[in-house]
């Protein structure tokens, strides 16, 4: 009888992949494109948790869930664009 195993990786960022610098780079560019000035210190104080938690901390608590999702997806698309050239197969 074959035994099937099911598993999933729920958080690779900073755990299995050293990509946190790329996320920070994407955030800084994203904020610049949105005309949001923010010091590194202020960004670091607000940048924790999920993207759905981070976006309102940075852009204000008056955002709708749709706006939060759209901003989060836009930032993540920028991250993927920046990180894509660095993706390498594991040896």
């Amino acid at each position: 009888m074959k035994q099937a195993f099911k598993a999933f990786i729920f958080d690779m960022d900073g755990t299995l992949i050293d990509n946190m610098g790329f996320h920070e780079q994407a955030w800084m560019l994203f904020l610049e494109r949105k005309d949001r000035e923010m010091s590194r210190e202020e960004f670091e104080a607000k940048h924790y948790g999920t993207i759905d938690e981070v976006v309102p901390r940075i852009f204000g608590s008056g955002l709708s869930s749709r706006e939060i999702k759209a901003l989060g997806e836009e930032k993540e698309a920028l991250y993927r664009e920046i990180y894509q050239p660095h993706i390498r197969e594991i040896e």
Side-chain angles (χ1 to χ4, degrees):
M1 178 175 164
K2 284 188 176 181
Q3 198 173 28
F5 293 97
K6 294 181 181 181
F8 63 93
I9 297 173
F10 62 92
D11 183 6
M12 296 188 311
D13 295 336
T15 305
L16 299 178
I17 300 170
D18 185 15
N19 63 344
M20 296 313 289
F22 293 99
H23 274 291
E24 185 175 330
Q25 186 180 359
W27 269 111
M28 292 297 112
L29 182 56
F30 183 63
L31 293 173
E32 182 181 313
R33 288 181 179 181
K34 296 295 180 186
D35 293 323
R36 290 276 183 179
E37 287 193 31
M38 186 174 289
S39 69
R40 276 243 194 259
E41 294 77 20
E42 184 181 2
F43 172 75
E44 288 176 10
K46 293 181 178 189
H47 184 249
Y48 59 90
T50 66
I51 196 153
D52 290 341
E53 296 167 333
V54 175
V55 168
R57 270 189 233 117
I58 291 176
F59 290 96
S61 60
L63 298 171
S64 70
S65 58
R66 181 178 283 166
E67 290 170 313
I68 292 168
K69 182 177 171 126
L71 287 167
E73 287 176 356
E74 189 177 343
K75 181 270 168 187
E76 288 300 305
L78 183 56
Y79 158 75
R80 288 189 299 274
E81 181 183 320
I82 290 170
Y83 189 64
Q84 195 279 329
H86 303 278
I87 294 174
R88 302 285 182 266
E89 192 175 308
I90 296 173
E91 293 182 23

